[in-house]
Amino acid sequence: MANTTGQKFGGRQKGSLNKVSSDTKISLQKLVSKELESFEARLETLDNKERLEIVIKILPFVLPKQTQIEIEANNIDPFRPITINLINEEPLQIEANENTD
């Protein structure tokens, strides 16, 4: 018989730690740490093509993927002055040059 009350019965209490996940994460961290110690030496044993393929595969885990952002600026004045306050200096005011085309 299905639970249709919307209440939770049994299982872990809210806020309690998932011990299996914690133990697994610790084990994986140890494994990866151990592998990283010899990773560079192993890369040196590969030919250039293999080494490049490995680097390309691990790159997404090192650098975040870039996404394109588009902004519509229909009602924005592109020649609005910008004020930058520098520490221990006089305020510096930068104004955009108006294009007279």
Side-chain angles (χ1 to χ4, degrees), residues 2-21:
N3 178 6
T4 59
T5 64
Q7 295 178 357
K8 182 177 175 181
F9 297 100
R12 288 186 296 121
Q13 296 296 317
K14 185 176 181 178
S16 65
L17 297 176
N18 186 343
K19 186 162 176 46
V20 174
S21 291

Side-chain angles (χ1 to χ4, degrees), residues 15-65:
S16 65
L17 297 176
N18 186 343
K19 186 162 176 46
V20 174
S21 291
S22 298
D23 291 345
T24 303
K25 285 179 184 178
I26 290 170
S27 296
L28 284 172
Q29 285 174 343
K30 288 179 182 178
L31 175 69
V32 170
S33 252
K34 185 177 178 184
E35 290 298 318
L36 284 177
E37 291 173 5
S38 61
F39 184 71
E40 190 173 348
R42 289 188 199 170
L43 275 179
E44 294 298 323
T45 64
L46 302 174
D47 64 32
N48 289 338
K49 181 182 177 192
E50 292 172 326
R51 185 173 26 248
L52 185 58
E53 288 172 350
I54 297 293
V55 170
I56 289 171
K57 286 180 181 178
I58 65 170
L59 201 56
F61 299 99
V62 179
L63 296 175
K65 290 187 177 184

Side-chain angles (χ1 to χ4, degrees), residues 83-93:
T83 302
I84 302 173
N85 293 321
L86 302 175
I87 299 174
N88 297 327
E89 295 287 333
E90 294 292 320
L92 176 65
Q93 187 167 0

